[in-house]
Amino acid sequence: MEEHIIEALFKVIGELLLVHALQSTMNSRRRSSSLAKLIVAHPGFEKIDKEALLTDETSFRKMLGSVREIYRDSLPNIDGILDSPDSVRRIQAELTNHPFLTQPIKLTTSSERHNFLVLGHPQAGKTSLIQRMLYGLSQNSDIGVFASDSETLSLPNRIERFAKYQEHRIELARNNEKLDRGELFPSTGSKNDIYVNIEYRSTGYMVRLKFFDYSGIKMQSIRDLAQLTDDKRVDGIIVLMDSYRIIAEDLLDSASKNGLLDRKAHEIKYGQVLQSNLSQFTDLTNGLLDRIEFLKHHQIPIIIAFTKFDGFRHFGQSEEGARQAIYSKIHPMLHSLIKMKRHAIALCLTSSFGGSELAKDEVTGELIVEDQYTALPVLRPTGRFTLNQYLKAQSPLLFLVRSIMQDKIEDMHSFFEQQRQELGFLDRFIYRGKLDQVGKILHEENNRWKNVSPEREDLLIIPPDSDTHLAIRRLREFFKADIETL
């Protein structure tokens, strides 16, 4: 389905919806059925904004007036409806409260926030990744994006929303240019929550998100996590893992073999940094499983984003070798997640920069070394992001949005089938073909969302009901890992 969901439903079962709504005023099944048939047969019915039809009295009255002009001879007397604002409002209320429309309307107008929890390494490139992610989404002509560090209490009307999307796109473009020039954003620390609105123009879907940032030092306390989420339901988890921190030792070995640095001298100078990184990595992998168990929700979509996945060639390491090294470090944690069989799990490899080079001191010409986490020579970002890199950067957010939308459409489909069985025999008989068509539309719409975040070489998705052995085999293939060497 590539049209607004309310429009799609009216196109298929508009007559049924109108029959039920008109009966509230006309008090006659025969007369309301006759009027409903003429309304949907009206040449201009398909072009009418169905959202306005549900909420705007003038639009509804104008539609009825137009129907009366064309079908005056065969039309039941509707002067009483046209002359009575209360009658119009009653009909509109019956439409919006019809069981077949309540959930679709909620899907396009709800102010509900979906809570996403951010876990993982501090300073893992979160701010840059989110900037690239949002800018990439904003370039899609069908998507409106707005992000803020504070809550928007109400949803403005459509014109104001789209104006905000346009303004925000300009701001995102400016920030994106800064990243392309190698200007890094200051770290936001571990207390920055982010509010994001995503609107799909063609279908009318509105997805409102809140990211609870629990990365870094917050990882140490379950009490802090409980206070942060405040007993709210967690709808998805993003785990940010700094690729360089995971395989710092491997990259130092490669750099040493390629003459980039003296490993022994480097260890003497930065041994404490390396030991601290190893300890923090162990805490992170063990703590992640603890946090997921603490949340006690089934079917939470979890995406693990390996950030800064590029530039390994500067240290004499290939991307394939980096994949294998990452897997050798984290496969126990990943296997444990898979064996839970409770969560949809996605893994993605992403970067925030179009290219990179080794950073050198402008005076001495010596390599600048990162002395807080990895003890590796620092990389300086260079070059513009490519289209493929934008697709990678969007993966974490799109996977979670896809998961939410599929859940909502599945719920809508189940509710529709339940309400269908509660229709009277006459309606089920007369409209059975149309009702079958709606069920098919919702089924196809669910499948369509799978393509919003499709698997690629840099994105692996493992459903919760996957066979464990098959899932682990796919995991090894993704990381290009040879089981015999592990």
Side-chain angles (χ1 to χ4, degrees), residues 69-180:
E69 289 299 316
I70 295 179
Y71 302 110
R72 183 178 297 276
D73 295 336
S74 55
L75 188 72
N77 188 344
I78 59 172
D79 291 345
I81 299 176
L82 286 170
D83 295 338
S84 171
D86 287 342
S87 294
V88 171
R89 285 193 289 268
R90 191 180 308 122
I91 294 169
Q92 289 179 313
E94 289 292 326
L95 279 172
T96 54
N97 291 319
H98 193 285
F100 289 165
L101 287 182
T102 51
Q103 287 199 325
I105 289 172
K106 184 178 179 181
L107 196 62
T108 59
T109 61
S110 174
S111 60
E112 173 191 10
R113 285 278 178 198
H114 296 280
N115 300 316
F116 290 168
L117 190 62
V118 182
L119 304 174
H121 284 127
Q123 298 186 24
K126 174 188 62 186
T127 307
S128 299
L129 177 61
I130 289 175
Q131 162 63 36
R132 295 293 199 184
M133 184 190 301
L134 295 176
Y135 175 74
L137 282 180
S138 74
Q139 297 310 292
N140 186 327
S141 60
D142 189 45
I143 297 178
V145 179
F146 182 77
S148 173
D149 59 3
S150 60
E151 175 64 278
T152 303
L153 296 179
S154 61
L155 282 171
N157 64 43
R158 192 169 184 268
I159 294 175
E160 291 179 0
R161 288 201 312 273
F162 278 47
K164 279 185 174 293
Y165 298 150
Q166 185 179 33
E167 293 168 4
H168 197 55
R169 187 186 304 117
I170 294 171
E171 180 183 348
L172 289 169
R174 290 197 194 102
N175 291 337
N176 196 63
E177 285 290 332
K178 291 180 181 178
L179 286 174
D180 282 341

Side-chain angles (χ1 to χ4, degrees), residues 320 323-328 330-332 334-335 338-339 347 349 457 460 462 467-486:
E320 181 173 330
R323 286 192 190 221
Q324 294 168 352
I326 289 173
Y327 184 70
S328 70
I330 66 166
H331 73 271
L334 296 178
H335 291 188
I338 290 171
K339 290 174 182 177
L347 309 172
L349 309 172
E457 185 185 10
L460 173 68
I462 301 175
D467 175 81
T468 300
H469 294 293
L470 178 60
I472 291 176
R473 184 186 308 161
R474 293 182 64 217
L475 198 64
R476 292 181 182 127
E477 291 173 353
F478 179 74
F479 284 104
K480 304 185 185 303
D482 181 358
I483 183 58
E484 300 300 328
T485 64
L486 293 177

